[in-house]
Amino acid sequence: MTSGVSAVASPASAGDQCSLATMKGAYLYAQDGFILGKSADKNQPFAQAGREYYDGKGGMSGIYTENLNGIIIRGNYKGTYTVEANCSGTVTFEDDRKIVSRYDIYATKGGSEFVFVQTDSNSITAAYERRRVPQ
């Protein structure tokens, strides 16, 4: 996965009240996109699937398999996350190849699902995750 800068969003609705504890448990995801090169012909497509765990306190970790332009990469990562009262937030992590990735996230009120967009300037990707193991 590629990477989380601060989310800037207006309030979603008056009923939304999220916190770090909103994001707790194991989530599954699948995403695809592009790692941008110096020119369009140097862009590299990728697809990735994995499992992440959010601890409800601002820490997260995950495992993944990635197909980067035909090269298969398996690994893991560890990082931090934030969640604002309006259910927006950020995720930042470093993988075992020392690549740092940043994302803006938007969670459902109960945290069962969230969407994300990578905010690193060298990547284009967005997807969603679903909690698969109860809190």
Side-chain angles (χ1 to χ4, degrees):
M1 274 170 80
T2 346
S3 326
V5 164
S6 303
V8 177
S10 40
S13 78
D16 288 343
Q17 287 297 310
C18 290
S19 69
L20 288 175
T22 301
M23 305 276 295
K24 186 172 181 184
Y27 292 77
L28 297 177
Y29 73 90
Q31 73 180 105
D32 57 24
F34 291 92
I35 306 296
L36 302 178
K38 295 198 182 281
S39 60
D41 64 331
K42 303 291 184 193
N43 294 347
Q44 297 183 61
F46 77 91
Q48 186 179 89
R51 183 176 188 267
E52 294 182 334
Y53 179 77
Y54 289 80
D55 67 6
K57 300 175 186 176
M60 59 83 65
S61 60
I63 59 174
Y64 68 94
T65 299
E66 179 177 20
N67 183 327
L68 177 60
N69 202 25
I71 299 168
I72 303 303
I73 302 165
R74 292 177 180 88
N76 49 74
Y77 49 91
K78 189 179 241 186
T80 60
Y81 69 96
T82 65
V83 178
E84 302 298 324
N86 70 357
C87 301
S88 68
T90 64
V91 174
T92 302
F93 60 79
E94 181 177 77
D95 69 16
D96 48 7
R97 297 177 294 159
K98 304 295 182 201
I99 296 172
V100 176
S101 300
R102 297 166 192 85
Y103 299 86
D104 282 356
I105 63 172
Y106 299 90
T108 59
K109 183 178 178 183
S112 63
E113 296 181 318
F114 67 93
V115 294
F116 63 84
V117 62
Q118 188 163 1
T119 57
D120 297 305
S121 63
N122 67 332
S123 298
I124 299 174
T125 186
Y128 71 94
E129 299 193 27
R130 287 189 178 151
R131 186 167 43 221
R132 301 316 294 171
V133 177
Q135 299 184 53

